[in-house]
C-alpha cells in the first residue's frame, strides 16, 4: 500500500512572537492536505525545542520531525539544510513549505539543491490541481503578471512564502501529534562558518504595521514636494506614511516606509493610496486593509480596482483638498 | 585574493530609470543594466582588491547582449570576464543556473578564494542562485551580507538577519551574497566603457560545449520547475467611483465615509 503523503512545514521559530509565518504555513498546509489526503508535519531543528513542538501541534501539525542537540543552538543555514535534506531523503515528503524570512530564503534554496528539486520563491498563492500537483503562484516579470509554477517530477515540491500571505488557524492545546526524533547523523561541531556575535537589532518601530490609517504613496504623487504634503495629511488623521519602491529608490522615503513584498505588510482600517498602480509586489502587502481609498488618474489601475472608493483625479490636488476640508471638519 | 563576481544583466524595470528630480523616465538609458545588488557585490570585490590585492573575474550567464555588464565590470576594475551564453541554456531555472555557473567556476577559475553574488535580482528576486551555487561548489556561505573584512585566512562578515545583527567568521574559499545596503557602487560613465577596452577586451564567451555540458543537463528540460500559466492578477470589487473637481470629490468622500475615517482616527468628522 502506498504510504500516506506528507506536507512539511519548516519550523522557523527564531522570532516566534513577531513572525507567525510558520503557523500561517501550517494553516495553509492543513487546507492543502485535505485535497491530497496528506498528513501535515512540522520540522524543527535546534536546541530546547519543546515549546515550539507544542505550538506547531496546537496549530495543526499532526507529526513533528525533530533534530535536537546543543550544537544546533544557533540558526545555521548550511547545517539546517543538511539535516532537513537528510530527513526528507528518509521520509520523502510530497511538499515542503518554508517561510521567506532572511533565514528561510538562504536555507530553502540549499535544501532544494541538495534534494535536486525545484523551488518557487515568494508565493502569493498555493493550490492543488487536478493532477494533485502543488500549483505555486508567484509574481513574475516585474510584478505585472502572476505565474503558476509546478514541479512535475521531483519531490518534494518546494515553495517559500512571505509572512502575512496566509492565515494561521487558532490553537488547540488539546491536539495530539506524533514526535519523531532523528539523532545527529554526523559530528557537526566544526563549522566553516561560525557565528561570532549576534545581537538584536535596536527596536524597530512597528508604526506602519500597527497603524489604523496608512497613507501610501506611489510615483503618481508627482513630486517630492507633493509627497511631503502627505505628512501634513498624516498629521491630521493620525496616520502613518508608506511608499512604493520607486519612491524609496528615489530617496523620497526611507526603506522603513516601503510597503510591499520587499518591505512592510500592513493591515490598516483605512488605506489611502495616492498614485499607486498596484503591482503585485505592492498589493500583496495591502490586501488585508479593511477599506481602501485610492486616487489615480487612471481608473483602470489595479489599485483602483481593489479600492472601495476609487477617486479618478490628480493625487496631489486631492491631497491638498483633503487637508483643507479636514481642517474644517475635524473636531 | 582571487575573486569571482557573478553578475546578471536585468531589464531596466520601469521604476529604476526614473529620474527623481524631474519625475520622468530616463528613456535614454540602454534596455539592460547590471542588477543593482550585483553592482554592490562588484563594489565589495573592488574594495577587497584595493586593500588586499588580487584579481577579479566577472562571470555572467545570459544572451549575447549581456556582454555589456562585463564591459562595465571591466571598466570599473575587474580583470577579466566570462560570458556564458548558449541558446540551449534558455529557460534555465535557479537550479540549473547555479549548476552552470558552478561548472564555469570550476573549469575557468578553480583557484578562487571568494565568490561574490548579488543577494537577489530585480527581475525575479528569488535570491536562490547564490546559496545554490554554494551547495554546488561545496562552500561555506553567508547570504545578504553587508560588510566584509579579511582577517588572515578568514572573512569576517556582518549582516542583518531577521532582526539580528550577526557577525560571522567564514573560512576561505567561501561565498557571499551581498545586500544593497552598504557597498554603494562607484559611478561609471557609460561612454567610458567602450574606451576602456577598445578592441581586445579580456572577455571570453563560453558555450555549453566549452563547459562540457550535455544538452539534457541545461535549459528548460533540466529545470525541475515548470511555468504552466501566466496571467494578470485581477481583483475587482464593486466600488464607489468619484470623479470631478478635487474639492467636490473630497466633500463627497467625507460626507459619505467621514464616519468610517473618523472612527479609525478616533475623532469626529463633521458631516
Ligand atoms: C522583485 C520585486 C520586488 C518588488 N517589491 C516591491 C515592494 O515591496 N513594494 C513596492 O511598492 N514595489 C515593489 N516592487 C516594484 C513594483 O513591481 C512596482 O514597480 C511598484 O510598486 C510601482 O510603484 P508605483 O505604483 O509607485 O509606480 P507606477 O507603477 O509607475 O504607478 C504610478 C501610478 O500613478 C498614477 N498616476 C500618474 N500620475 C498621476 C497623478 N497626477 N495623479 C494620480 N495618479 C497618477 C499612474 O496612473 C500609475 O497608476 C518590486 C518589484 C520587483 C521586481
Amino acid at each position: 500500500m502506498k504510504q500516506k503523503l506528507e506536507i512539511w512545514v519548516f519550523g522557523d521559530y527564531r522570532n516566534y512572537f513577531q513572525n507567525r509565518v510558520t503557523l500561517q504555513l501550517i494553516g495553509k498546509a492543513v487546507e492543502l492536505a485535505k485535497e491530497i489526503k496528506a498528513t501535515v508535519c512540522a520540522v524543527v531543528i535546534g536546541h530546547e525545542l519543546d515549546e515550539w513542538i507544542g505550538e506547531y501541534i496546537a496549530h495543526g501539525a499532526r507529526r513533528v520531525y525533530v533534530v535536537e542537540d546543543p550544537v544546533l543552538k544557533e540558526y545555521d543555514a548550511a547545517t539546517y539544510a543538511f539535516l532537513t535534506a537528510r530527513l526528507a531523503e528518509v521520509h520523502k515528503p510530497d511538499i515542503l513549505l518554508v517561510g521567506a524570512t532572511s533565514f528561510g530564503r538562504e536555507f530553502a534554496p540549499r535544501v532544494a539543491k541538495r534534494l535536486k528539486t525545484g523551488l518557487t520563491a515568494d508565493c502569493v498563492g498555493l493550490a492543488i490541481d487536478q493532477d494533485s500537483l502543488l500549483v505555486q503562484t508567484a509574481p513574475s516579470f516585474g510584478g505585472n503578471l502572476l505565474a503558476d509554477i509546478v514541479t512535475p517530477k521531483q519531490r518534494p515540491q518546494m515553495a517559500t512564502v512571505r509572512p502575512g500571505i496566509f492565515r494561521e488557524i487558532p490553537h488547540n492545546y488539546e491536539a495530539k501529534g506524533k514526535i519523531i526524533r532523528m539523532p545527529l547523523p554526523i559530528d557537526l561541531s566544526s563549522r566553516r562558518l561560525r557565528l561570532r556575535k549576534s545581537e538584536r537589532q535596536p527596536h524597530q518601530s512597528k508604526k506602519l504595521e500597527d497603524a489604523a490609517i496608512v497613507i501610501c504613496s506611489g510615483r503618481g504623487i508627482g513630486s517630492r514636494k507633493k509627497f511631503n504634503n502627505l505628512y501634513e495629511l498624516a498629521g491630521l488623521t493620525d496616520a502613518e506614511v508608506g511608499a512604493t519602491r520607486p519612491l524609496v529608490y528615489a530617496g523620497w522615503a526611507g526603506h522603513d516606509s516601503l510597503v510591499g513584498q520587499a518591505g512592510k505588510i500592513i493591515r490598516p482600517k483605512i488605506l489611502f493610496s495616492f498614485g499607486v498602480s498596484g503591482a503585485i509586489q505592492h498589493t500583496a502587502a495591502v490586501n488585508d486593509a479593511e477599506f481602501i481609498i485610492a486616487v489615480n488618474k487612471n481608473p483602470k489601475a489595479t489599485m483602483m480596482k481593489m479600492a472601495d472608493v476609487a477617486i479618478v483625479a490628480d493625487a496631489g490636488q486631492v491631497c491638498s483638498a483633503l487637508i483643507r476640508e479636514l481642517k474644517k471638519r475635524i473636531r | 585574493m582571487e575573486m569571482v563576481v557573478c553578475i546578471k544583466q536585468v531589464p531596466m524595470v520601469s521604476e529604476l530609470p526614473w529620474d527623481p528630480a524631474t519625475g520622468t523616465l530616463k528613456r535614454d538609458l540602454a534596455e539592460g543594466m547590471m542588477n543593482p545588488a550585483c553592482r554592490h557585490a562588484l563594489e565589495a570585490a573592488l574594495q577587497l582588491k584595493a586593500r588586499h590585492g588580487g584579481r577579479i573575474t566577472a562571470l555572467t550567464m545570459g544572451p549575447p547582449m549581456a556582454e555589456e555588464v562585463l564591459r562595465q565590470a571591466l571598466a570599473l576594475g575587474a580583470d577579466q570576464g566570462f560570458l556564458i551564453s548558449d541558446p540551449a541554456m534558455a529557460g534555465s531555472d535557479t537550479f540549473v543556473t547555479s549548476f552552470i555557473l558552478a561548472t564555469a567556476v570550476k573549469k575557468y577559475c578553480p583557484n578562487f578564494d571568494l565568490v561574490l553574488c548579488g543577494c537577489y535580482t530585480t527581475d525575479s528576486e528569488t535570491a536562490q542562485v547564490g546559496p545554490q551555487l554554494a551547495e554546488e561548489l561545496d562552500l561555506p556561505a553567508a547570504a545578504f551580507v553587508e560588510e566584509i573584512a579579511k582577517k588572515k585566512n578568514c572573512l569576517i562578515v556582518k549582516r542583518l538577519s531577521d532582526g539580528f545583527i550577526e557577525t560571522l567568521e567564514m573560512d576561505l574559499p567561501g561565498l557571499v551574497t551581498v545586500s544593497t545596503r552598504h557597498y554603494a557602487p562607484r559611478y561609471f560613465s557609460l561612454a567610458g566603457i567602450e574606451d576602456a577596452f577598445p578592441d581586445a577586451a579580456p572577455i571570453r564567451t563560453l558555450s555549453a560545449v566549452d563547459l562540457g555540458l550535455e544538452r539534457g543537463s541545461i535549459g528548460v528540460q533540466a529545470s525541475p520547475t515548470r511555468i504552466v500559466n501566466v496571467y494578470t492578477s485581477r481583483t475587482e470589487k464593486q466600488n464607489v467611483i468619484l470623479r470631478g473637481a478635487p474639492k467636490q470629490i473630497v466633500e463627497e468622500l467625507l460626507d459619505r465615509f467621514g464616519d468610517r475615517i473618523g472612527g479609525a482616527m478616533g475623532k469626529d468628522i463633521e458631516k
Side-chain angles (χ1 to χ4, degrees):
Chain A
M1 203 193 89
K2 204 167 164 281
Q3 225 192 322
K4 204 173 170 194
L5 295 176
E6 293 189 354
I7 301 179
W8 286 16
V9 175
F10 174 73
D12 191 345
Y13 52 80
R14 180 158 64 166
N15 287 310
Y16 183 84
F17 297 101
Q18 299 94 43
N19 180 352
R20 315 281 283 187
V21 70
T22 304
L23 303 184
Q24 292 158 5
L25 288 178
I26 291 175
K28 187 69 191 179
V30 167
E31 240 174 69
L32 298 171
K34 289 187 188 124
E35 296 187 43
I36 50 171
K37 300 197 174 52
T39 308
V40 175
C41 312
V43 176
V44 197
I45 298 170
H47 180 50
E48 297 179 336
L49 300 171
D50 287 350
E51 185 179 356
W52 317 123
I53 296 169
E55 289 292 326
Y56 297 152
I57 291 173
H59 282 89
R62 288 292 76 92
R63 188 171 291 177
V64 184
Y65 292 98
V66 179
V67 192
E68 191 164 21
D69 194 281
V71 305
L72 301 173
K73 197 170 85 212
E74 283 145 6
Y75 262 48
D76 176 56
T79 309
Y80 282 31
F82 163 77
L83 293 168
T84 305
R86 263 299 167 96
L87 280 167
E89 279 156 11
V90 178
H91 301 281
K92 308 207 180 314
D94 195 49
I95 292 172
L96 170 54
L97 306 177
V98 180
T101 57
S102 314
F103 180 81
R105 297 174 82 200
E106 180 169 11
F107 159 85
R110 301 188 72 140
V111 176
K113 191 85 213 187
R114 285 184 167 265
L115 296 172
K116 301 190 169 32
T117 189
L119 169 65
T120 305
D122 296 330
C123 293
V124 293
L126 294 172
I128 303 287
D129 74 3
Q130 68 278 9
D131 301 322
S132 299
L133 288 176
L134 180 69
V135 181
Q136 306 151 34
T137 305
S140 81
F141 303 107
N144 303 317
L145 297 173
L146 288 173
D148 287 345
I149 296 167
V150 296
T151 303
K153 298 206 188 80
Q154 282 79 3
R155 290 293 175 274
Q157 305 164 79
M158 284 186 64
T160 66
V161 178
R162 297 265 179 171
I165 301 281
F166 300 127
R167 285 281 161 98
E168 62 186 78
I169 44 185
H171 61 239
N172 166 15
Y173 289 110
E174 313 284 282
K176 295 256 178 318
K178 194 171 162 197
I179 298 169
I180 298 158
R181 292 179 182 270
M182 179 178 83
L184 284 189
I186 55 167
D187 177 16
L188 290 168
S189 48
S190 88
R191 303 259 173 87
R192 294 182 295 176
L193 180 73
R194 297 166 293 274
L195 186 65
R196 283 287 171 251
K197 206 164 97 191
S198 173
E199 52 196 54
R200 264 213 184 270
Q201 194 185 13
H203 183 71
Q204 296 274 305
S205 68
K206 287 261 179 195
K207 287 190 186 145
L208 261 179
E209 292 96 320
D210 295 339
I213 303 185
V214 171
I215 297 172
C216 196
S217 173
R219 182 147 68 178
I221 191 71
S223 73
R224 185 171 203 145
K225 186 156 166 284
K226 291 182 193 158
F227 174 71
N228 287 339
N229 280 347
L230 295 173
Y231 286 97
E232 187 177 356
L233 182 58
L236 281 171
T237 51
D238 284 330
E240 289 296 322
V241 175
T244 62
R245 197 164 82 165
L247 303 198
V248 172
Y249 273 161
W252 293 6
H255 197 270
D256 285 352
S257 6
L258 178 63
V259 173
Q261 173 191 302
K264 308 263 162 73
I265 293 167
I266 58 171
R267 36 181 66 146
K269 290 201 166 74
I270 298 197
L271 170 66
F272 285 97
S273 180
F274 285 95
V276 174
S277 60
I280 182 83
Q281 289 93 349
H282 179 77
T283 57
V286 305
N287 268 332
D288 283 335
E290 279 175 30
F291 194 74
I292 301 177
I293 300 165
V295 188
N296 199 308
K297 273 191 164 167
N298 174 9
K300 295 206 175 80
T302 308
M303 201 62 226
M304 295 285 267
K305 298 193 168 151
M306 279 179 74
D308 298 277
V309 180
I311 298 176
V312 188
D314 177 81
Q317 287 179 6
V318 170
C319 171
S320 305
L322 196 53
I323 291 173
R324 264 188 306 249
E325 198 60 28
L326 280 170
K327 279 186 179 160
K328 283 193 241 159
R329 297 205 197 188
I330 293 179
R331 277 187 295 193
Chain B
M1 216 172 16
E2 195 71 26
M3 288 174 281
V4 178
V5 185
C6 298
I7 293 173
K8 187 179 181 190
Q9 187 182 46
V10 293
M12 277 273 193
V13 261
S14 57
E15 79 229 55
L16 285 172
W18 180 50
D19 184 341
T22 63
T24 56
L25 286 180
K26 291 181 183 169
R27 289 190 197 281
D28 52 331
L29 294 183
E31 297 200 329
M33 62 173 194
M34 193 187 294
N35 175 53
C38 299
R39 284 190 68 180
H40 285 73
L42 178 61
E43 179 62 36
L46 291 166
Q47 290 185 20
L48 285 167
K49 181 180 161 183
R51 182 157 303 166
H52 304 284
R55 266 157 46 93
I56 298 175
T57 301
L59 183 63
T60 192
M61 172 175 141
M65 77 179 261
E67 186 182 321
E68 223 169 274
V69 296
L70 293 180
R71 287 181 175 272
Q72 288 171 11
L74 293 171
L76 286 168
D79 299 277
Q80 60 170 344
F82 288 102
L83 168 65
I84 309 171
S85 191
D86 197 314
M89 293 170 183
S92 297
D93 67 6
T94 65
F95 183 87
V96 173
T97 302
S98 55
F99 166 66
I100 297 172
L101 291 173
T103 309
V105 172
K106 283 183 202 160
K107 187 158 180 190
Y108 293 95
C109 339
N111 299 319
F112 69 89
D113 300 299
L114 181 63
V115 179
L116 301 100
C117 303
C119 61
Y120 53 71
T121 58
T122 52
D123 61 342
S124 63
E125 203 165 279
T126 69
Q128 286 168 198
V129 170
Q132 296 200 323
L133 185 56
E135 286 290 335
E136 286 281 355
L137 294 169
D138 186 21
L139 295 174
F144 304 102
V145 160
E146 302 191 351
E147 284 176 57
I148 307 169
K150 186 165 183 281
K151 202 176 120 194
K152 297 201 185 112
N153 292 326
C154 291
L155 280 194
I156 307 293
V157 303
K158 252 196 187 167
R159 67 172 172 191
L160 183 64
S161 180
D162 296 326
F164 290 88
I165 301 164
E166 296 184 341
T167 308
L168 301 137
E169 184 182 87
M170 186 168 85
D171 290 347
L172 294 177
L175 180 146
V176 289
T177 79
V178 180
S179 87
T180 51
R181 277 175 192 264
H182 183 77
Y183 289 102
R186 60 194 71 188
Y187 176 78
F188 60 87
S189 79
L190 287 169
I193 295 168
E194 292 300 317
D195 304 344
F197 299 95
D199 23 61
I203 292 178
R204 236 183 107 174
T205 302
L206 305 173
S207 67
V209 173
D210 294 325
L211 292 172
L213 294 170
E214 286 173 29
R215 300 224 144 215
S217 69
I218 54 176
V220 182
Q221 70 272 24
S223 298
T225 54
R226 289 269 176 293
I227 298 179
V228 288
N229 192 11
V230 175
Y231 50 98
T232 51
S233 53
R234 282 257 172 282
T235 26
E236 285 188 52
K237 299 198 205 188
Q238 278 295 2
N239 56 13
V240 175
I241 296 170
L242 301 179
R243 295 174 194 263
K247 184 163 169 14
Q248 265 121 45
I249 292 174
V250 166
E251 283 170 2
E252 188 176 351
L253 178 74
L254 294 181
D255 288 347
R256 290 174 70 175
F257 303 104
D259 286 349
R260 197 164 184 148
I261 298 168
M265 285 160 52
K267 289 185 195 156
D268 277 340
I269 294 178
E270 261 174 53
K271 279 261 142 84

